[in-house]
Amino acid sequence: YQRRVHGDKMKEIWTLLLIFCAFDAAFAAQAFRKGLDVSIYSNPTLDQWKCLRAEGFDFVVIQIWNGGKNFHPHFVESYSNARKAGFEWIDVYAFLCPNCNRNSPTTAVPLIAQFFADNNITFERLWFDVEPCVRCFAENKDINYAYLSSVVSAFEEVKIPLGIYTNWHNMQALTGGKIPKNFLKYPLWYPRYDNILAFTEADEYYLPMGWKVPMMKQYKGDTQLCGIDVDFNYYPIPDEKSNASSGEVKKQ
């Protein structure tokens, strides 16, 4: 009886060890970086950027353009302070809308490109922010579809590296679920506020749109940290087989 009990306990120990090793290996295989994004309504000071960096965030996405409000009024200062605080990976994002002042793709996009050139702004990628907003879009979803596609084409004309920020629910509201074909050439950053640092394989927030795998996930929104309103983002470090068409773009 004692031998049997001893043998059973040893089996339990070995089972726990195997589970631990499997979990450890899985965790190591899913290395990731944490990032945050800030809108034009947030202008962190240098000390606040340092605080955010000390919280363990590796990258930041700063809004450059917000619909009818146009440019972020303190973008250059915010960008400069983020660099000084140690953020080497900086992306930008832009929200454009058809019913907003100076938001024609042939007007807004060249202005944004010229702003980057004039202020010596370098970044990894510009994310086109696609989401509903009150009176920003047309009631006719076909008009919205055409506008969104034309914005991407305009950014292509000025050779700005792109990504798309949206999710299935946003696209249903704006275009009835139709996804512009030129969207799918670029990686996806999608919002889903479940506070989970992972993509869900059966995630209805992105799979119906046509992307196999997103590039990033905004997993927590409107959070106060270091005295600033920020959103939290998850970026899994991809393998060498990544490709842009599925959103699996390798981070350089």
Side-chain angles (χ1 to χ4, degrees):
Y1 173 78
Q2 289 180 342
R3 288 180 181 176
R4 188 172 70 251
V5 170
H6 178 72
D8 290 343
K9 286 188 176 296
M10 288 301 295
K11 287 180 181 178
E12 289 178 8
I13 291 171
W14 279 109
T15 299
L16 289 172
L17 284 172
L18 288 171
I19 292 173
F20 175 80
C21 290
F23 176 82
D24 189 57
F27 181 81
Q30 297 175 7
F32 64 89
R33 295 178 180 178
K34 286 198 310 178
L36 50 89
D37 62 89
V38 295
S39 75
I40 69 167
Y41 302 105
S42 295
N43 183 31
T45 64
L46 177 56
D47 285 342
Q48 286 172 320
W49 277 121
K50 288 179 178 179
C51 174
L52 293 169
R53 186 72 180 92
E55 289 287 336
F57 292 94
D58 300 306
F59 67 92
V60 62
V61 190
I62 306 173
Q63 187 173 32
I64 177 67
W65 184 275
N66 187 341
K69 294 185 180 298
N70 295 178
F71 283 110
H72 184 332
H74 306 291
F75 180 87
V76 174
E77 177 187 6
S78 191
Y79 169 90
S80 177
N81 282 335
R83 288 284 189 212
K84 291 175 184 177
F87 285 99
E88 296 181 1
W89 173 8
I90 296 180
D91 281 1
V92 298
Y93 77 96
F95 173 73
L96 286 79
C97 42
N99 290 350
C100 302
N101 180 44
R102 293 207 308 170
N103 273 235
S104 164
T106 55
T107 299
V109 171
L111 284 173
I112 293 170
Q114 191 61 50
F115 180 92
F116 291 143
D118 290 346
N119 292 280
N120 195 28
I121 303 297
T122 59
F123 54 90
E124 298 285 341
R125 189 177 304 278
L126 181 144
W127 296 92
F128 177 28
D129 179 3
V130 181
E131 57 183 302
C133 115
V134 178
R135 295 187 296 276
C136 295
F137 285 87
E139 293 184 8
N140 186 314
K141 291 179 169 53
D142 290 333
I143 292 176
N144 294 334
Y145 176 91
Y147 175 81
L148 296 174
S149 180
S150 66
V151 170
V152 170
S153 296
F155 277 119
E156 290 175 337
E157 285 289 323
V158 295
K159 302 188 186 309
I160 287 180
L162 274 182
I164 306 297
Y165 170 92
T166 195
N167 63 28
W168 176 234
H169 303 291
N170 290 348
M171 295 306 297
Q172 284 182 306
L174 295 176
T175 69
K178 291 172 60 180
I179 310 301
K181 292 180 180 179
N182 54 5
F183 271 34
L184 295 174
K185 295 191 289 184
Y186 300 103
L188 176 69
W189 170 26
Y190 79 105
R192 182 175 188 177
Y193 299 147
D194 55 9
N195 206 26
I196 297 175
L197 279 73
F199 302 144
T200 304
E201 289 185 6
D203 199 327
E204 73 277 11
Y205 279 69
Y206 68 84
L207 280 176
M209 295 189 293
W211 279 276
K212 294 179 181 178
V213 180
M215 183 186 229
M216 296 200 305
K217 174 184 176 181
Q218 190 180 68
Y219 65 89
K220 189 174 183 180
D222 295 326
T223 300
Q224 284 287 318
L225 185 65
C226 300
I228 292 294
D229 186 50
V230 298
D231 303 320
F232 293 169
N233 298 284
Y234 159 79
Y235 169 81
I237 299 174
D239 59 28
E240 296 294 331
K241 297 179 181 179
S242 297
N243 63 84
S245 62
S246 66
E248 300 172 80
V249 177
K250 184 182 177 184
K251 176 73 173 60
Q252 300 296 323

